[in-house]
Amino acid sequence: MDMNGAIYDVFAETSAKAAGIHEGNLTYIGDDGLRRCKVCGKKLETILHFNSPALKHMDGMKVNCICICDKAQREKVEKEMQMLAKKSDAPIMRAECFKSKAMHDMVFKNDDSPNSEAGSTTRGYVRSFNNNSKWLFIYGTYGTGKSFYAACIANALIDKGYTVRMGTGADYEAEIFAAQDKAAAYQKLLDYDLLILDDFASERKSDYMFEVLYNIINDRYNAKKPIVFTSNMTTEETGNPTDPRIRRIMSRIWERGYPVEMVGQDRRKAGTAWK
């Protein structure tokens, strides 16, 4: 089944559940032509509208919803509907998340080491993710799959309806530098459900770069919003960075997050890098 068909089926299933909850309730037809509850007067039907061109054929779809007589059920269904609306924009969200289209295909189903520490930890991170999730620091030598697993996390969360941005320090520095309204640019990076900082501490080490990175990281630290880092740092370097600017950031990371060390050969040199 294609994505559009799957989304249609979920809406149809949610609509059927809502209809079942209010089966037998007294109803009437409102001025808008939609069925309403006689007890609270709220709508038991609604019309769906979609911004995504891919779902235009479903625009105007009538579905059942839940009135405030069962607030808990109503809130649950409304949350499902909101997440589904976000899912419908997944291609747009993916394009915003990644600079490279190749990362759209970096997903867990292409992982040939699902039972490794990195494979199980990153999958668990997605399963338990919420806006207060801990930070994740994926580190190790070149070519061991750090960016692959970070992209897998991003794609899995986008499929769940979360907003994610993945970039290097240089990407974020250029974005802040080019912005006329720098406060708004920082706020945009704070607003993502998850921010991924790829190749941390591998960038050119200018004071401006570290000022930008510290501001981004500190904003999310204060807001208790999650970050996933990837880094080529060694275990010794993570525990005792020689650069005081990195040391200041690492203190934030170890307070809020936990490490995943990637070991093994350089898969790029071996010709076994994930696609």
Side-chain angles (χ1 to χ4, degrees):
M1 180 184 296
D2 61 19
M3 183 64 176
N4 290 347
I7 291 174
Y8 177 89
D9 286 348
V10 174
F11 276 121
E13 181 182 351
T14 304
S15 177
K17 287 180 181 177
I21 289 170
H22 285 290
E23 187 175 357
N25 285 17
L26 295 176
T27 64
Y28 69 96
I29 303 299
D31 294 339
D32 54 6
L34 299 175
R35 195 161 54 95
R36 292 176 176 268
C37 173
K38 277 194 172 182
V39 177
C40 65
K42 298 299 182 182
K43 290 189 293 186
L44 300 180
E45 296 174 322
T46 192
I47 305 295
L48 299 179
H49 296 288
F50 299 92
N51 293 324
S52 171
L55 298 177
K56 271 298 181 185
H57 66 287
M58 289 167 52
D59 197 63
M61 177 181 178
K62 182 188 286 188
V63 296
N64 296 299
C65 55
I66 300 173
C67 69
I68 61 174
C69 292
D70 195 330
K71 185 179 179 182
Q73 285 286 356
R74 180 181 178 83
E75 288 176 349
K76 179 181 177 182
V77 172
E78 284 179 347
K79 186 174 181 180
E80 289 177 4
M81 299 291 246
Q82 290 168 2
M83 294 301 282
L84 282 168
K86 286 186 178 181
K87 284 184 183 181
S88 71
D89 288 330
I92 298 170
M93 292 163 60
R94 236 178 281 281
E96 183 176 344
C97 177
F98 303 111
K99 284 182 66 176
S100 169
K101 196 170 183 180
M103 286 187 162
H104 296 197
D105 298 321
M106 292 185 179
V107 293
F108 284 122
K109 71 177 182 180
N110 294 333
D111 178 16
D112 60 11
S113 305
N115 297 319
S116 65
E117 179 187 1
S120 60
T121 301
T122 50
R123 284 169 171 81
Y125 190 80
V126 170
R127 283 194 299 271
S128 62
F129 184 82
N130 58 58
N131 287 336
N132 293 315
S133 287
K134 284 184 135 331
W135 295 4
L136 192 63
F137 189 79
I138 307 172
Y139 73 101
T141 191
Y142 296 91
T144 49
K146 300 180 296 294
S147 295
F148 170 80
Y149 278 117
C152 285
I153 290 172
N155 279 306
L157 291 177
I158 286 171
D159 286 339
K160 287 175 172 285
Y162 291 102
T163 58
V164 186
R165 176 72 184 280
M166 180 171 179
T168 64
D171 293 329
Y172 298 137
E173 178 197 30
E175 189 170 323
I176 297 298
F177 181 79
Q180 290 186 335
D181 186 341
K182 299 199 183 317
Y186 278 116
Q187 184 62 47
K188 181 179 178 181
L189 293 175
L190 178 60
D191 287 341
Y192 287 103
D193 295 322
L194 174 67
L195 192 76
I196 299 175
L197 179 51
D198 200 23
D199 282 338
F200 170 67
S202 298
E203 308 89 349
R204 55 185 177 83
K205 296 177 172 59
S206 70
D207 287 339
Y208 183 70
M209 165 74 78
F210 277 105
E211 179 187 352
V212 168
L213 290 183
Y214 182 79
N215 288 340
I216 292 170
I217 292 166
N218 197 53
D219 283 349
R220 294 188 72 86
Y221 173 87
N222 290 331
K224 298 183 178 179
K225 298 195 73 171
I227 311 177
V228 168
F229 298 81
T230 73
S231 177
N232 294 323
M233 296 172 73
T234 65
T235 300
E236 182 179 356
E237 288 170 335
T238 63
N240 187 29
T242 56
D243 190 324
R245 298 169 302 182
I246 295 178
R247 193 180 307 129
R248 183 167 68 148
I249 293 174
M250 291 304 299
S251 69
R252 291 277 193 272
I253 293 173
W254 294 142
E255 180 181 343
R256 188 58 53 81
Y258 55 93
V260 178
E261 183 179 11
M262 299 290 295
V263 296
Q265 64 177 343
D266 186 334
R267 295 178 68 117
R268 297 189 190 97
K269 287 185 178 178
T272 58
W274 288 285
K275 304 297 183 183

